[in-house]
C-alpha cells in the first residue's frame, strides 16, 4: 500500500502548522520523520492515519495503481500508536486482542497472534496483569504489540520511545527492525542516533513541509 | 438504660434465630429495592449513554436537571408517585397503591436519576485518549462507544451501588405509596418507623442492626469497586 500526501495544509486557530506539504510514501520499510517540537509531526501522522482531516489538499492510498476508497476497510489496514498509548483498564491480553476482536476474528487466531506479539514485546509473562498497572515502558511495548497484531500494512508510530529507558528503547527498536519488511512504518523521534539506526528513509519536517534527508 | 440493653439482647435473639417475621420483612425490602434498582438501571443506563455520546440541543440543560434530580427528597417522590397511582390519578385504574409494586415504582423514580447521573459522569470522565486508541485500532463509532462504556464500568457499578444504598435506607417514598401493611408492604425502614412509634423497640432495633450491616456491606462493595478503578498496582 502506498500513501500519497498532496498539498495538505492544516492550521489551528489561524496558526499554520502544515503548509502545502507533499510527499509520497511508496516504499516499504522505516520512514523516520524528525523536526523540532511543534513542527507538526504528530499532526501529520494524525492526518495520514485518517484520524483528522487537512484544511486543504488531501491524502490518498494506493494499492498498485488502484486508488483505495476512504472507508472503514481502509482505516483498518493501518494504525497509529500515540505517545501516550491509551491503555484500556483490562488485562494485558485483552488490550492486545482489542483490534482483532472488533474485527470479529476467531478466538484461536486471536490467541495465536496475541501470544506471538506479546512474546515479541517481552510481555508474555504479564498477559493476565491489569494493563493499567504496567510500567510506562511496558505500556509503550503493549501499545506497539496491540497495533502489530492487526498486521497493518501501514504503521504510524508517534515518538514510540519518548520518556523510555535504554533497555525498553532497544526492545522497541528490535521490534521495529524485525517488522519493517512487508509494511511501511512511519515514525517520529527526537533522537538523531535512533533515527539513523532505524531509518530506511530519513525525513525532516520544516516550515510545514516534508523534505528528504538522504 | 436497662431497657435499651434488654431490647438489644432481645433484638440479637431475633436476628440469631432468624425470626420469621423479621426474615419476611428483610426479604421484601431486598425484593422491592432490588427490583427498583433493576428498573432504574434498565432505564438510567441508556439515558446516561445518550447524554454522554449524543449530540443534541439543550444537552447541558438535561444533564443539569438530571444532577438536580439526584437529590430528590424521598417524600416528594412518594407524593408524586401517590398522585400518579391514587384512584383519581392517571395510573389509578391499575389499583397499585399500597402494593409492593407501587413501592418499586416510587423507589425506581428515586434511583433512576442517581444511576443515570453517576453513570453519565463515569462515562464522560473516561480519558479521551481511550476514544482515540480505540479509533486508531479500527473501531467503528459504535465499537468506540462500547469501549468507553467498558472503560467506565466500575464507575457505573459504583453508581448503581450508591443508588441501592439510597433506596434501601429511604422511608419517605415507600411509606406514602406502600403504607405499612403487616406481612404485605412492611419493609425494614417503615417497620422501624412504626415499631419505634409504638414503643416496640425489639423488632425496630433488630431491623436497625440489619440495615446498618447492609449499608456497611454496600460501602465495602463500593470500596472494592473503587480499588478496581484505581491505577496503581495492588498486591
Ligand atoms: N488540537 C489542536 N488544537 C490547537 N492547536 C493544536 C492542536 N494540535 C496541534 N496543535 C498545534 O499545532 C502545532 C503542531 O503540533 P504537533 O503536535 O503536530 O507538533 P509535533 O511536531 O508533534 O511536536 P512535538 O515534537 O512536541 O511532539 C503546535 O503548535 C500545536 O500547539
Ligand atoms: Mg508530537
Amino acid at each position: 500500500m502506498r500513501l500519497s500526501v498532496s498539498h495538505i495544509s492544516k492550521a489551528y486557530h489561524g496558526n499554520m502548522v502544515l503548509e502545502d506539504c507533499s510527499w509520497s510514501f511508496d516504499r516499504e520499510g522505516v520512514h523516520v520523520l524528525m523536526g523540532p517540537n511543534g513542527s507538526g509531526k504528530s499532526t501529520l501522522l494524525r492526518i495520514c492515519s485518517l484520524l483528522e482531516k487537512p484544511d486543504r489538499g488531501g491524502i490518498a492510498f494506493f494499492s498498485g495503481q488502484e486508488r483505495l476508497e476512504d472507508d472503514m476497510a481502509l482505516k483498518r489496514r493501518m494504525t497509529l500508536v500515540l505517545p501516550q498509548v491509551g491503555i484500556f483498564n483490562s488485562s494485558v491480553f485483552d488490550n492486545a486482542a482489542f483490534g482483532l476482536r472488533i474485527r470479529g476474528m476467531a478466538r484461536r487466531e486471536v490467541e495465536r497472534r496475541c501470544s506471538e506479539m506479546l512474546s515479541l514485546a517481552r510481555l508474555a509473562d504479564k498477559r493476565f496483569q491489569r494493563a493499567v498497572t504496567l510500567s510506562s515502558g511496558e505500556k509503550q511495548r503493549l501499545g506497539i504489540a496491540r497495533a502489530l497484531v492487526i498486521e497493518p500494512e501501514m504503521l504510524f508510530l508517534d515518538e514510540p520511545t519518548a520518556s523510555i529507558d535504554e533497555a525498553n528503547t532497544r526492545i522497541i527498536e528490535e521490534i521495529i527492525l524485525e517488522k519493517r519488511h512487508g509494511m511501511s512504518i512511519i515514525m517520529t523521534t527526537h533522537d538523531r542516533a535512533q533515527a539513523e539506526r532505524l531509518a530506511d528513509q530519513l525525513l525532516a519536517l520544516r516550515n510545514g513541509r516534508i523534505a528528504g534527508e538522504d | 438504660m436497662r431497657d435499651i440493653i434488654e431490647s438489644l439482647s432481645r433484638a440479637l435473639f431475633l436476628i440469631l434465630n432468624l425470626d420469621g417475621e423479621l426474615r419476611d420483612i428483610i426479604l421484601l425490602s431486598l425484593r422491592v429495592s432490588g427490583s427498583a434498582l433493576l428498573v432504574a438501571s434498565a432505564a438510567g443506563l441508556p439515558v446516561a449513554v445518550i447524554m454522554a455520546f449524543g449530540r443534541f440541543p439543550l444537552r447541558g440543560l438535561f444533564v443539569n436537571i438530571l444532577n438536580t434530580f439526584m437529590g430528590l427528597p424521598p417524600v416528594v417522590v412518594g407524593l408524586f408517585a401517590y398522585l400518579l397511582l391514587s384512584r383519581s390519578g392517571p395510573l389509578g385504574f391499575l389499583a397499585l397503591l399500597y402494593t409492593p409494586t407501587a413501592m418499586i415504582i416510587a423507589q425506581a423514580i428515586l434511583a433512576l436519576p442517581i444511576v443515570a447521573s453517576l453513570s453519565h459522569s463515569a462515562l464522560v470522565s473516561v480519558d479521551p485518549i481511550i476514544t482515540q486508541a480505540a479509533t486508531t485500532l479500527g473501531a467503528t463509532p459504535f465499537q468506540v462507544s462500547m469501549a468507553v462504556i467498558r472503560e467506565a464500568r466500575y464507575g457505573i457499578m459504583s453508581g448503581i451501588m450508591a443508588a441501592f444504598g439510597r433506596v434501601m435506607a429511604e422511608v419517605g417514598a415507600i411509606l406514602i405509596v406502600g403504607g405499612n401493611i403487616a406481612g404485605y408492604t412492611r419493609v425494614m425502614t417503615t417497620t422501624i418507623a412504626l415499631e419505634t412509634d409504638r414503643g416496640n423497640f425489639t423488632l425496630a432495633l433488630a431491623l436497625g442492626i440489619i440495615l446498618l450491616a447492609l449499608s456497611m456491606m454496600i460501602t465495602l462493595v463500593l470500596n472494592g469497586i473503587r480499588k478496581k478503578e484505581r491505577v496503581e498496582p495492588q498486591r
Side-chain angles (χ1 to χ4, degrees):
Chain A
M1 192 160 66
R2 290 185 296 119
L3 161 61
S4 150
V5 176
S6 50
H7 307 288
I8 59 172
S9 297
K10 181 82 191 179
Y12 293 107
H13 318 295
N15 181 9
M16 208 54 132
V17 180
L18 299 172
E19 191 164 15
D20 194 27
C21 173
S22 297
W23 197 260
S24 179
F25 296 94
D26 48 14
R27 268 183 280 161
E28 287 176 359
V30 185
H31 310 260
V32 180
L33 184 63
M34 297 191 73
N37 290 133
S39 56
K41 303 182 295 298
S42 299
T43 305
L44 181 68
L45 290 195
R46 282 197 305 272
I47 291 174
C48 289
S49 58
L50 302 172
L51 233 51
E52 212 170 300
K53 289 222 178 325
D55 300 334
R56 254 173 295 129
I59 61 167
F61 291 85
F62 296 88
S63 178
Q65 285 309 307
E66 183 202 356
R67 186 182 162 160
L68 300 169
E69 199 76 45
D70 178 1
D71 57 10
M72 205 64 217
L74 175 61
K75 286 198 176 89
R76 288 189 164 184
R77 292 167 73 168
M78 68 188 80
T79 183
L80 161 68
V81 182
L82 297 156
Q84 301 104 352
V85 171
I87 291 292
F88 304 121
N89 188 358
S90 56
S91 71
V92 167
F93 185 86
D94 284 342
N95 264 271
F98 183 87
L100 301 180
R101 288 185 178 148
I102 57 174
R103 284 165 173 76
M105 187 170 282
R107 262 184 61 182
R108 291 243 314 279
E109 181 66 4
V110 173
E111 168 67 35
R112 190 189 66 75
R113 286 202 199 180
C114 292
S115 299
E116 186 191 327
M117 280 308 149
L118 289 177
S119 301
L120 189 65
R122 317 263 177 98
L123 289 168
D125 54 332
K126 300 199 184 283
R127 63 184 280 159
F128 298 117
Q129 190 175 330
R130 283 180 66 210
V132 286
T133 63
L134 292 174
S135 77
S136 52
E138 290 164 344
K139 279 182 188 154
Q140 198 70 45
R141 271 146 53 195
L142 176 57
I144 291 173
R146 189 172 69 175
L148 283 172
V149 294
I150 296 167
E151 299 183 352
E153 291 165 64
M154 209 161 265
L155 174 63
F156 302 95
L157 302 174
D158 196 356
E159 302 196 33
T161 61
S163 70
I164 280 179
D165 70 9
E166 267 174 57
N168 275 292
T169 301
R170 216 172 315 118
I171 298 174
I172 289 172
E173 288 185 6
E174 276 169 25
I175 297 174
I176 293 172
L177 288 175
E178 180 169 337
K179 288 288 162 184
R180 82 189 134 156
H181 308 289
M183 83 168 85
S184 302
I185 299 177
I186 301 172
M187 63 174 281
T188 66
T189 182
H190 287 291
D191 180 346
R192 183 93 221 168
Q194 175 177 66
E196 269 154 19
R197 281 196 296 276
L198 296 178
D200 294 308
Q201 184 179 44
L202 207 54
L203 303 167
L205 192 59
R206 239 181 268 118
N207 306 322
R209 294 180 191 207
I210 300 180
E213 250 191 33
D214 287 302
Chain B
M1 193 63 202
R2 280 256 315 277
D3 282 359
I4 298 181
I5 291 173
E6 215 183 290
S7 302
L8 204 60
S9 61
R10 265 192 268 135
L12 286 175
F13 184 77
L14 276 189
I15 295 172
L16 293 176
N17 271 318
L18 218 69
D19 174 79
E21 190 187 5
L22 184 76
R23 193 197 52 212
D24 289 346
I25 293 172
I26 296 169
L27 287 180
L28 183 64
S29 264
L30 291 173
R31 187 160 72 83
V32 167
S33 296
S35 312
L37 202 65
L38 273 181
V39 174
S41 302
L45 291 182
V47 170
V49 168
I50 292 167
M51 296 280 191
F53 300 118
R55 292 282 165 271
F56 50 89
L58 299 183
R59 192 168 57 112
L61 183 69
F62 283 123
V63 172
N64 276 329
I65 292 174
L66 210 58
N67 288 339
T68 314
F69 278 15
M70 233 175 97
L72 279 179
V75 260
V76 176
V77 172
L79 172 65
F80 174 73
Y82 185 92
L83 293 176
L84 215 61
L85 299 174
S86 71
R87 198 158 304 171
S88 51
L91 297 180
F93 65 94
L94 294 172
L96 288 175
L97 210 56
Y98 305 125
T99 65
T101 309
M103 297 153 74
I104 292 171
I105 293 173
Q107 289 204 335
I109 296 173
L110 195 65
L112 191 144
I114 302 176
V115 172
S117 175
L118 293 181
S119 302
H120 172 260
S121 18
L123 287 170
V124 295
S125 59
V126 169
D127 193 332
I129 197 97
I130 292 297
T131 304
Q132 285 196 26
T135 309
T136 59
L137 290 167
T140 61
F142 176 74
Q143 289 171 328
V144 171
S145 305
M146 291 310 288
V148 172
I149 293 172
R150 203 176 130 76
E151 209 59 22
R153 65 196 180 280
Y154 296 120
I156 291 172
M157 275 154 62
S158 55
I160 292 174
M161 273 323 270
F164 187 56
R166 181 96 194 284
V167 292
M168 278 304 291
E170 74 88 20
V171 60
I174 33 174
L175 191 57
I176 294 181
V177 298
N180 205 335
I181 306 166
Y184 186 48
T185 63
R186 291 180 68 179
V187 293
M188 289 200 269
T189 51
T190 51
T191 309
I192 292 174
L194 184 84
E195 297 299 324
T196 305
D197 210 34
R198 281 193 190 155
N200 175 10
F201 299 118
T202 307
L203 188 55
L205 265 174
L207 288 168
I209 291 166
I210 302 276
L211 205 53
L212 261 177
L214 211 73
S215 68
M216 243 150 78
M217 258 156 59
I218 292 174
T219 312
L220 281 179
V221 172
L222 269 173
N223 284 344
I225 295 171
R226 296 214 170 108
K227 230 178 241 150
K228 283 268 185 195
E229 260 182 306
R230 263 192 263 128
V231 168
E232 64 266 10
Q234 12 161 249
R235 291 273 128 79

